[in-house]
């Protein structure tokens, strides 16, 4: 190879590296913006006296998640630490650093999901301690198994069943795990005061539908970074992922509109249910398969959230367990159904493996969260006092209200 050819090759390689770095950075920024969506979805759903807490909690969770993932979580999942000098860290246009940022936004989605379930009665600092251990250990344990081949799990799947567990953008790894972790935290906290009156369930109306809708819109837009940019390189980008995300979202909207009887809360959560479910197989499914996946996910969410709120003592404020936990699990299984070539998919996926991997993710999430939140519950308690809850988390924790009214 002569000198001019070498220079051209080097220039092309540098351009490719820098393009991939920029591509992933834009994806990280889009997913980071989704945390504002989580925040406003919660702000619009909780009562006025808990709106400040919703905003502060999710931003604080992100800060704690960054430290936990930087020092522990990323190492647990990928065996990579940052204890080297800056020249080594910035090699290859700093692609690995941007990859950390991108995957951090996924990891930090776990406490953002949990936040919606435990709203209005959770203590502040104990929950942040829980966030540290969830993001630093529990979540990356399963993340590393699926996305980095840790503990030989994927190799065993491939040897035994001919294919590994497929979760392109985190239906199970992120949403399923987050939703089942949230369920455990919700159960430890118990029901909000006032939910049972005269022996009957009472549901608190959303405080601000426009804020709720804004949160849903931000999440929907950011989700295309969440899904499409999970390719992590320009060369791997797929229009099929974008189309499938769009179709699942549309299916979720329409199903929630019909089954939710025009309720704005359901209509704005319906697309999120569809997007949660399509993450795993968005690179495999035919768009019609993605549409069906979104319809089923929204139907499951509407039915299960309604049942849970009116018939059980599981007080999941935003319905994050049915939305993320159950719809995420459905997404893992759906990838094994609609990813098959017989249904127009790309193939290379096994329904048995998808089911086993999904069940493993749920198991790790439940056991890990029982350990983390159960320990905190015993040592310091997770819940506000009855008086603090009555006054609201805004005044009790942050000493300020969301309005300037006397």
């Amino acid at each position: 190879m002569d000198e001019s050819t070498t220079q051209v090759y080097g220039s092309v390689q540098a351009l490719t590296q820098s393009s991939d770095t920029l591509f992933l950075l834009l994806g990280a920024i889009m997913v980071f913006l989704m945390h504002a969506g989580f925040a406003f979805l919660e702000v619009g759903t909780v009562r006025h006296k808990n709106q400040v807490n919703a905003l502060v909690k999710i931003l604080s969770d992100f800060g704690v998640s960054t430290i936990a993932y930087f020092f522990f979580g990323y190492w647990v999942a990928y065996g990579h630490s940052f204890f080297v000098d800056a020249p080594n860290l910035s090699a290859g246009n700093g692609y690995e650093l941007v990859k950390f940022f991108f995957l951090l936004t996924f990891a930090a989605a776990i406490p953002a999901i949990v936040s919606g379930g435990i709203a209005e009665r959770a203590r502040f600092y104990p929950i942040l301690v829980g966030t540290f251990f969830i993001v630093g250990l529990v979540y990356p344990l399963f993340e590393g198994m699926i996305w980095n081949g840790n503990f030989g799990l994927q190799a065993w799947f491939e040897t035994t069943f001919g294919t590994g567990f497929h979760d392109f953008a985190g239906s199970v790894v992120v949403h399923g795990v987050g939703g089942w972790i949230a369920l455990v935290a919700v159960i430890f906290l118990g029901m909000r005061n006032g939910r049972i009156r005269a022996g009957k369930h009472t549901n608190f109306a959303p405080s601000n539908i426009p804020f709720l809708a804004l949160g849903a819109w931000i999440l929907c837009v950011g989700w295309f970074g969440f899904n499409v940019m999970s390719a992590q390189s320009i060369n791997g980008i797929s229009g099929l992922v974008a189309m499938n995300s769009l179709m699942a979202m549309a299916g979720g909207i329409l199903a929630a509109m019909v089954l939710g009887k025009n309720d704005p809360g359901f209509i704005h959560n319906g697309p999120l249910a569809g997007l949660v479910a399509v993450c795993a197989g968005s690179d495999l499914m035919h768009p019609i398969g993605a549409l069906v996946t979104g319809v089923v996910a929204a139907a499951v969410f509407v039915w299960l959230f309604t049942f849970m709120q009116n018939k059980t003592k599981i007080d999941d404020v935003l319905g994050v367990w049915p939305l993320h936990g159950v719809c995420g699990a459905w997404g893992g299984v759906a990838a094994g159904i609609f990813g098959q070539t017989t249904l127009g998919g790309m193939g290379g996926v096994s329904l048995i493996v998808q089911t086993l991997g999904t069940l493993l993710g749920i198991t790790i999430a439940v056991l890990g969260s029982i350990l983390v939140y159960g320990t905190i519950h015993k040592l310091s308690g997770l819940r506000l006092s009855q008086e603090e809850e009555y006054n609201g988390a805004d005044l009790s924790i942050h000493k300020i209200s969301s309005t300037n009214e006397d």
Side-chain angles (χ1 to χ4, degrees):
M1 186 180 294
D2 58 36
E3 184 176 350
S4 61
T5 303
T6 301
Q7 289 177 342
V8 170
Y9 177 78
S11 297
V12 171
Q13 187 175 38
L15 179 61
T16 301
Q17 287 180 338
S18 59
S19 298
D20 287 344
T21 302
L22 178 60
F23 172 79
L24 199 56
L25 176 60
L26 293 174
I29 292 169
M30 289 181 72
V31 183
F32 180 39
L33 180 62
M34 290 176 70
H35 290 264
F38 283 119
F40 278 98
L41 192 67
E42 185 174 335
V43 167
T45 304
V46 300
R47 290 167 288 178
H48 288 99
K49 62 183 180 180
N50 297 297
Q51 289 181 327
V52 171
N53 180 247
L55 294 168
V56 173
K57 182 153 47 84
I58 288 180
L59 187 59
S60 299
D61 272 331
F62 193 90
V64 171
S65 296
T66 300
I67 299 304
Y69 202 62
F70 181 86
F71 285 103
F72 299 102
Y74 197 65
W75 174 76
V76 170
Y78 301 101
H80 183 90
S81 72
F82 299 97
F83 296 103
V84 296
D85 56 34
N88 281 308
L89 285 177
S90 61
N93 298 103
Y95 176 83
E96 286 298 323
L97 300 181
V98 173
K99 180 180 177 181
F100 163 79
F101 180 20
F102 183 69
L103 292 172
L104 163 66
T105 59
F106 280 50
I110 302 295
I113 290 167
V114 174
S115 178
I118 65 175
E120 300 202 310
R121 76 274 201 202
R123 296 179 64 195
F124 188 63
Y125 287 109
I127 292 300
L128 291 181
V129 171
T131 291
F132 185 89
F133 288 102
I134 291 294
V135 175
L137 180 60
V138 178
Y139 165 74
L141 180 64
F142 186 63
E143 176 192 18
M145 289 180 180
I146 303 306
W147 287 343
N148 196 49
N150 294 354
F151 304 107
L153 176 67
Q154 292 285 39
W156 180 79
F157 279 148
E158 290 171 6
T159 300
T160 307
F161 301 100
T163 185
F165 179 75
H166 189 89
D167 192 353
F168 180 72
S171 283
V172 180
V173 174
V174 179
H175 299 285
V177 167
W180 285 89
I181 287 174
L183 175 64
V184 172
V186 165
I187 291 173
F188 271 118
L189 281 165
M191 299 186 75
R192 289 167 289 173
N193 292 318
R195 283 274 283 114
I196 301 292
R197 297 179 185 176
K200 296 182 179 180
H201 284 68
T202 299
N203 294 318
F204 303 127
S207 61
N208 193 310
I209 294 296
F211 275 164
L212 186 158
L214 175 63
W217 274 103
I218 293 173
L219 285 166
C220 286
V221 172
W223 224 294
F224 286 87
F226 197 100
N227 282 4
V228 175
M229 292 178 175
S230 284
Q232 299 187 23
S233 68
I234 290 285
N235 187 52
I237 193 169
S238 169
L240 182 64
V241 175
M243 173 60 80
N244 284 340
S245 300
L246 180 65
M247 295 301 286
M249 182 182 73
I253 293 170
L254 297 176
M257 178 184 70
V258 174
L259 299 175
K261 300 177 181 178
N262 299 332
D263 181 286
F266 283 135
I267 291 173
H268 285 94
N269 276 284
L272 307 184
L275 286 163
V276 164
V278 82
C279 287
S282 56
D283 62 328
L284 297 178
M285 298 178 180
H286 186 279
I288 295 176
L291 176 65
V292 175
T293 297
V295 168
V296 172
V300 168
F301 170 71
V302 171
W303 176 82
L304 187 54
F305 182 69
T306 301
F307 176 80
M308 182 180 66
Q309 289 294 89
N310 296 320
K311 301 294 183 180
T312 76
K313 293 184 178 181
I314 301 174
D315 191 7
D316 181 348
V317 180
L318 269 67
V320 297
W321 173 59
L323 181 67
H324 296 273
V326 178
C327 290
W330 157 240
V333 175
I337 299 172
F338 297 108
Q340 302 289 342
T341 55
T342 53
L343 292 177
M346 301 286 287
V349 66
S350 163
L351 179 57
I352 295 175
V353 172
Q354 293 304 116
T355 302
L356 291 175
T358 298
L359 291 175
L360 178 62
I362 292 171
T363 302
I364 290 175
V366 169
L367 294 179
S369 54
I370 287 174
L371 178 62
V372 171
Y373 291 121
T375 302
I376 297 172
H377 178 67
K378 290 290 185 181
L379 295 178
S380 66
L382 290 167
R383 184 164 178 160
L384 296 173
S385 69
Q386 187 171 351
E387 181 180 0
E388 288 171 331
E389 186 180 338
Y390 176 79
N391 292 331
D394 294 358
L395 292 177
S396 298
I397 297 174
H398 309 290
K399 313 304 179 186
I400 193 169
S401 171
S402 61
T403 66
N404 60 3
E405 298 173 0
D406 294 331

